[in-house]
Amino acid sequence: MQVKSNNYTGVKKWVDERLPVFSFVEDNLTNYPTPKNLSYFWNFGSLAGITLVIMIVTGILLAMQYTANSDLAFDSVERIMRDVNNGWLLRYLHMNGAHMFFIVVYIHIFRGLYYGSYKSPREILWMLGVTILLLMMATAFMGYVLPWGQMSFWGATVITNLFSAFPIIGESIVTFLWGGFSVDNPTLSRFFVLHYLLPFAIVGVVVLHIVALHMHGSNNPLGIDVKSDGDTIPFHPYYTVKDYYGLGVFLIFYLGLVFFAPNFLGHPDNYIPADPLVTPAHIVPEWYFLPFYAILRAVPDKLMGVLLMFSAVAVLFILPWLDTHKVRSSQFRPYYKQFFWLFFVNCFVLGWVGAMPAEGIYVTISRIATAYYFIFFLVIMPLLSKFEKGRVLPSSIASSVLSDKFESAPDQSFAK
Amino acid sequence: MAKKIIENKYQESTETKIDTEKRDFLFLTTGGLAIAGGALTAWSLINTMNPAKDVLALSSTEVDLTPIDEGQSLTVMWRGKPVFIKHRTQIEIQEAREVDIDSLKHKDLDESRVKNPSWLVVLGVCTHLGCVPLGQKVGDAKGDFGGWFCPCHGSHYDTSGRIRKGPAPLNLEVPPYEFVSEEIIKIG
Ligand code: HEM
Ligand code: FES
């Protein structure tokens, strides 16, 4: 490795030669060259990172007050709400933080889908992202069980029972997951331990995600490679300021929920203590699981439904090999762009039918939407890769950016 | 080629037009607000670790003194700590009051440590490093001064709970309490 310490003097030089803290920050944060044309869709990565930190901080403080025991858990959460100083704030920050986390990450993923960020050379970066999504889902699912309300209990029962769909070993897997013959105290304690552990696993994968990102740098709305220094600007101050601004807007939404509608995205039944003898009339998962839940229920066969639901996430892993079109950004792929937007709307349709009772017309809709979900990935993407003719790409980021700004306006106008 | 010239112009024009005063103002106000907001947020989060309302609500305990005969002691819990209630004999009271106050490490009159000379109420927490001194049970070591003896590092307390020998710096603390009636006290 090349020693870069010559740039520094004195103590800084001495330290940096031994532990490259200063050059690391310079290379990866301050001077890090970033495409100059990134839009606000590139804010969501840093927002996801910040949300993860918020979740860990509020989570650790909650864990200091929470009791992971099926007789005490519900009351301990109520005690957090009523007796602990600012406990209501702590819990609402954590609860709504989970919702915001999924909003941010889903936008981040759709961004990647639209601009082809999963394509070479960013395949591993993308797969690490999908891994983070899976870990987040597991973490959020187990977190939702902790308050031990009716939805916690029955959500846990239904989701763990998914594994009973597997032939022969299904039942023993479920018993193993429960640590007993129903969701009970042993289940709660292990879920608490895993809910505490997994976020730190997420932190680890996020680090890998960023290492992979910094190998080739960010993709950009044009989807073309950076070709010269003229295509980039240093991360600091340009994108630190932009990320900071994005954080402000994010906090308005997030804290708006926390302070004015803390239970808006939640389910009131979870304020009823868990009762193993009574199932709520209408049980639904949290909104962020609804599209997958809809896919599960669209299939009349138990095992097939479960497999299809897992495939809905798994298919994302092989995305870079399904869409092999050379052009990344949808801006230059007129056909892909339309199928993408249809896919986008389709996800909301899935989410909506997932929240509806599984009967009548809803079943039909969920089947059509499920079919499109998979056809988009498995049929449309490979076909378009072969037959779609992309538009002409701009020669460089700089030329495109400057032609937008200057060809339409007289030169002097910029100098004010 | 034409593009190249425009790009240079762009760089020149921004460099010459930087309004440093405005930049400093924005930087300082944004930074100041971020620090203030961060500090307030940090405090509201850290404050969750302070005693909660239910913990503070446990702050008083009533004790019926009738079952404690002269010469006997009772230990009760108050705020998670032991409180020693000692029904003192005449001799013990006398011992406590005859001490030369100047010879004490932590000078305090027995009269100011009790509300009723027969009843001594002190926290059973050694003022050295927090162990619970011996002397409550019959047969316990009571130390050289007939009160309590802390086994941890050898502090001796007298019949008024005052430190007489050993590393502890202060007398056993007298908690806030009052006689609700002749025979009942309320601690806290
Ligand atoms: C990836 C980050 C995380 C996510 C997505 C997440 C998600 C959740 C969710 C959805 C709940 C249920 C909220 C409710 O309905 O009350 C919850 C509860 C909880 N979480 Fe997390 N969490 C995360 C990180 C953590 C961490 C790192 C800890 C501890 C160190 C933690 C500790 C807790 C505790 C103690 C509860 C129960 C109290 C409550 O229900 O409010 N969480 N979490
Ligand atoms: S704690 Fe009692 S003597 Fe040290």
Side-chain angles (χ1 to χ4, degrees):
Chain A
M1 205 184 82
Q2 232 209 308
V3 179
K4 316 184 52 190
S5 51
N6 291 346
N7 303 347
Y8 304 113
T9 52
V11 180
K12 240 178 150 179
K13 178 185 163 81
W14 188 90
V15 172
D16 207 80
E17 272 172 2
R18 283 150 184 84
L19 184 72
V21 269
F22 301 108
S23 46
F24 184 84
V25 168
E26 239 176 52
D27 295 347
N28 290 290
L29 192 65
T30 54
N31 291 350
Y32 178 65
T34 316
K36 52 166 67 161
N37 61 336
L38 298 187
S39 69
Y40 278 112
F41 282 110
W42 269 259
N43 277 59
F44 290 87
S46 77
L47 287 180
I50 293 167
T51 314
L52 178 60
V53 173
I54 294 176
M55 292 311 284
I56 290 180
V57 170
T58 52
I60 289 176
L61 287 168
L62 278 172
M64 292 181 188
Q65 314 279 356
Y66 171 79
T67 311
N69 176 293
S70 55
D71 290 334
L72 308 169
F74 187 89
D75 290 344
S76 79
V77 173
E78 283 313 300
R79 178 181 166 273
I80 291 172
M81 296 299 289
R82 293 158 201 230
D83 288 343
V84 173
N85 306 313
N86 300 321
W88 59 273
L89 177 63
L90 200 57
R91 172 157 184 252
Y92 283 156
L93 281 175
H94 197 75
M95 208 166 104
N96 289 285
H99 293 298
M100 292 307 291
F101 204 4
F102 278 94
I103 293 175
V104 164
V105 166
Y106 282 148
I107 295 176
H108 190 66
I109 294 173
F110 278 120
R111 186 281 316 262
L113 275 175
Y114 186 83
Y115 293 107
S117 303
Y118 47 86
K119 290 184 190 180
S120 172
R122 299 189 182 80
E123 299 94 329
I124 294 187
L125 172 59
W126 172 263
M127 292 162 82
L128 288 167
V130 180
T131 310
I132 294 172
L133 175 64
L134 275 176
L135 288 170
M136 271 174 68
M137 287 174 151
T139 307
F141 161 64
M142 290 190 275
Y144 195 60
V145 176
L146 304 185
W148 211 243
Q150 274 290 65
M151 279 293 159
S152 300
F153 184 87
W154 293 101
T157 303
V158 169
I159 302 299
T160 46
N161 262 318
L162 288 179
F163 293 91
S164 70
F166 294 105
I168 308 167
I169 47 163
E171 286 301 327
S172 2
I173 295 181
V174 175
T175 310
F176 168 75
L177 290 177
W178 287 341
F181 302 101
S182 64
V183 172
D184 208 335
N185 193 48
T187 329
L188 178 58
S189 355
R190 65 187 62 182
F191 277 19
F192 177 57
V193 172
L194 293 173
H195 183 71
Y196 205 134
L197 177 73
L198 287 189
F200 295 92
I202 296 180
V203 170
V205 185
V206 166
V207 170
L208 297 178
H209 192 70
I210 291 170
V211 172
L213 171 69
H214 285 201
M215 290 302 287
H216 296 278
S218 298
N219 185 26
N220 64 82
L222 296 171
I224 57 177
D225 289 331
V226 165
K227 294 194 178 99
S228 69
D229 289 349
D231 289 346
T232 64
I233 41 177
F235 195 87
H236 181 76
Y238 298 101
Y239 287 111
T240 41
V241 164
K242 193 173 177 180
D243 280 346
Y244 189 58
Y245 175 72
L247 174 64
V249 176
F250 165 84
L251 286 178
I252 292 174
F253 281 102
Y254 175 26
L255 297 181
L257 276 180
V258 168
F259 290 122
F260 298 103
N263 292 302
F264 177 67
L265 292 166
H267 203 293
D269 276 24
N270 219 25
Y271 286 98
I272 304 169
D275 181 351
L277 301 177
V278 183
T279 307
H282 187 48
I283 100 154
V284 274
E286 295 277 85
W287 67 267
Y288 37 81
F289 292 134
L290 288 175
F292 302 101
Y293 195 57
I295 292 175
L296 169 77
R297 298 191 309 178
V299 188
D301 181 77
K302 187 173 174 184
L303 180 60
M304 281 306 291
V306 172
L307 289 179
L308 214 61
M309 186 185 71
F310 286 125
S311 322
V313 184
V315 72
L316 294 173
F317 275 106
I318 54 165
L319 194 57
W321 295 277
L322 294 173
D323 176 7
T324 52
H325 201 282
K326 284 280 164 290
V327 174
R328 293 197 188 99
S329 173
S330 295
Q331 286 187 23
F332 305 102
R333 294 186 62 188
Y335 292 106
Y336 174 78
K337 189 175 184 170
Q338 290 174 34
F339 287 112
F340 167 85
W341 284 115
L342 190 57
F343 175 79
F344 181 77
V345 172
N346 191 57
C347 286
F348 283 86
V349 172
L350 280 172
W352 168 68
V353 284
M356 294 294 144
E359 52 193 38
I361 183 76
Y362 300 120
V363 177
T364 319
I365 298 174
S366 70
R367 289 191 183 152
I368 297 170
T370 301
Y372 183 70
Y373 185 97
F374 287 100
I375 288 172
F376 174 72
F377 287 119
L378 299 175
V379 180
I380 295 174
M381 277 193 161
L383 285 182
L384 285 183
S385 306
K386 250 195 147 137
F387 298 113
E388 183 175 20
K389 198 170 161 316
R391 291 222 207 96
V392 180
L393 295 173
S395 60
S396 74
I397 293 174
S399 71
S400 168
V401 170
L402 291 172
S403 63
D404 282 355
K405 288 260 162 22
F406 290 92
E407 263 159 27
S408 52
D411 280 352
Q412 284 89 340
S413 71
F414 193 83
K416 252 201 283 170
Chain B
M1 197 62 227
K3 297 262 163 64
K4 194 79 207 157
I5 295 166
I6 293 168
E7 202 183 320
N8 286 343
K9 216 178 234 169
Y10 164 83
Q11 275 165 1
E12 265 166 39
S13 57
T14 45
E15 262 160 37
T16 46
K17 286 285 171 192
I18 288 172
D19 182 344
T20 48
E21 239 173 77
K22 183 174 168 186
R23 272 200 180 175
D24 289 347
F25 174 76
L26 287 174
F27 180 75
L28 290 173
T29 44
T30 328
L33 211 65
I35 291 170
L40 282 172
T41 312
W43 170 244
S44 32
L45 293 183
I46 292 167
N47 191 29
T48 61
M49 291 167 70
N50 273 324
K53 293 193 197 74
D54 60 332
V55 176
L56 296 176
L58 293 179
S59 56
S60 72
T61 308
E62 282 195 10
V63 187
D64 180 6
L65 301 178
T66 28
I68 314 171
D69 289 336
E70 211 178 80
Q72 285 188 336
S73 297
L74 181 72
T75 309
V76 295
M77 285 290 272
W78 175 68
R79 285 193 163 177
K81 289 183 220 166
V83 174
F84 293 164
I85 302 173
K86 190 178 177 69
H87 194 170
R88 297 193 294 188
T89 60
Q90 277 312 312
I91 302 165
E92 284 170 334
I93 301 173
Q94 223 171 332
E95 269 173 16
R97 303 208 156 174
E98 276 170 0
V99 178
D100 173 16
I101 188 88
D102 290 325
S103 72
L104 294 177
K105 191 169 182 181
H106 177 186
K107 297 172 189 27
D108 201 1
L109 286 172
D110 184 61
E111 285 82 345
S112 64
R113 292 175 56 79
V114 291
K115 298 212 157 117
N116 171 343
S118 301
W119 298 97
L120 177 71
V121 181
V122 287
L123 284 189
V125 178
C126 179
T127 61
H128 181 223
L129 293 171
C131 293
V132 177
L134 298 173
Q136 285 295 89
K137 288 198 212 98
V138 192
D140 269 2
K142 287 183 191 301
D144 297 353
F145 301 88
W148 291 273
F149 170 68
C150 183
C152 288
H153 315 92
S155 290
H156 299 250
Y157 295 94
D158 67 13
T159 55
S160 186
R162 288 172 300 199
I163 179 67
R164 299 293 286 277
K165 195 171 133 190
L170 298 173
N171 301 337
L172 292 177
E173 195 186 326
V174 179
Y177 70 94
E178 62 191 51
F179 279 85
V180 184
S181 69
E182 281 285 285
E183 300 291 341
I184 294 177
I185 59 165
K186 184 168 154 234
I187 306 170

